[in-house]
Amino acid sequence: MRPEAVRAALRGPIGAGVTADRLTQALGVPLPILLPRVTASAVGHLVKAGLLLYLGGEVEFPDVHPDQVAALGCGRDLPALLDRYVLLGPE
C-alpha cells in the first residue's frame, strides 16, 4: 500500500478551527474571511450540547471527528441548531 492511501483512510480528529470552517461552508453563505459565521469556540458549544463528540484538545476548542462534522453539515437544520446551542458573545 502507498503511505498516502493509508493516511487518507485514517480519518483522525480535526481541530475546532477546521470544523468551524467546514460548518461555515455547509451553511452556503459566502462570508468575509475575518467574519466567520461559525467560530472555533462555537464548536465547543456544539460538543457541550451533545451534537459532536469530544475527541481531545482544549475543552473550549475541541477536536472532533470529521465524519460527524460532515453529517452535521449536511443537515437542513444546521442554522437552527447553531441558533439554539451556540451562545452569542463578543465573537
Side-chain angles (χ1 to χ4, degrees), residues 2 8 11-13 28 30 38 44 48 53-54 59 72 76:
R2 297 183 355 238
R11 299 192 35 95
V38 181
K48 289 175 189 171
L53 183 65
Y54 174 78
V59 175
L72 186 62
R76 290 183 174 208

Side-chain angles (χ1 to χ4, degrees), residues 9-10 28 30 34 37 40 42-44 47-48 50-51 53-54 57 60 64-65 69 72 77 84 88 91:
L10 297 174
L34 297 177
R37 175 103 180 244
V43 175
V47 168
K48 289 175 189 171
L51 298 172
L53 183 65
Y54 174 78
E60 189 176 348
V64 295
H65 197 282
V69 175
L72 186 62
D77 58 346
R84 175 185 269 174
L88 297 176
E91 304 177 329

Side-chain angles (χ1 to χ4, degrees), residues 30-82:
L31 297 170
I33 194 160
L34 297 177
L35 298 172
R37 175 103 180 244
V38 181
T39 62
S41 64
V43 175
H45 294 296
L46 295 173
V47 168
K48 289 175 189 171
L51 298 172
L52 294 170
L53 183 65
Y54 174 78
L55 295 178
E58 294 182 39
V59 175
E60 189 176 348
F61 308 108
D63 293 341
V64 295
H65 197 282
D67 291 344
Q68 282 189 320
V69 175
L72 186 62
C74 289
R76 290 183 174 208
D77 58 346
L78 179 60
L81 290 173
L82 291 172

